[in-house]
Amino acid sequence: MPVKMIFVSLPVADLSRARAFYEALGFIHNPAFSDESGAAMVWSDAISVMLLTHAKWQGFTTRPICPTGSSEVSLAITVDSRAEVDAMIAAGAAAGGTADANPPEDHGFTYQRTLVDPDGHVWEPFWMDRSEKSADAV
């Protein structure tokens, strides 16, 4: 089966602040698809985030940008360990995000926390035990 990819586009008020935030989380900036109105940020070979200024965003839709503090979507993203979940939350909070807007969840075979970026977008880094023993619990 061919690899499926996802490109998440997010409106941001301050492109340089948003780019610095996502770089602090471990995203890699791709200058080939970036300019003064948008920054392509790569998480993996299959996942990229496009940070778009409000003006650029409004060129794609006439729908309003959600006000900060509202819930538009929650983006769950896997990491390799519980420690990596905690490290991502700490890095995001240090870079201007808000840690644990929702309570952390620990179900033994999964562990997740919530991070809100400076523009109000909600991320949920999570770890999941993918062993056969835990597969029955999913």
Side-chain angles (χ1 to χ4, degrees), residues 42-107:
V42 179
W43 177 252
S44 72
D45 290 340
I47 302 169
S48 292
V49 173
M50 191 67 180
L51 306 172
L52 302 172
T53 64
H54 286 190
K56 182 74 167 184
W57 176 267
Q58 291 167 335
F60 291 102
T61 182
T62 58
R63 296 175 53 108
I65 295 170
C66 293
T68 301
S70 64
S71 290
E72 60 181 325
V73 67
S74 178
L75 303 160
I77 193 163
T78 61
V79 295
D80 295 331
S81 67
R82 291 170 179 265
E84 195 172 339
V85 170
D86 293 337
M88 192 172 191
I89 295 296
T98 302
D100 299 320
N102 298 315
E105 292 188 33
D106 188 345
H107 301 284

Side-chain angles (χ1 to χ4, degrees), residues 1-54:
M1 175 184 287
V3 173
K4 304 290 187 201
M5 299 174 72
I6 185 167
F7 297 85
V8 177
S9 295
L10 299 173
V12 300
D14 181 328
L15 185 59
S16 59
R17 176 186 72 181
R19 180 179 158 191
F21 175 84
Y22 283 90
E23 286 175 333
L25 298 182
F27 286 73
I28 306 298
H29 177 244
N30 182 344
F33 296 102
S34 302
D35 61 21
E36 66 283 343
S37 65
M41 306 300 293
V42 179
W43 177 252
S44 72
D45 290 340
I47 302 169
S48 292
V49 173
M50 191 67 180
L51 306 172
L52 302 172
T53 64
H54 286 190

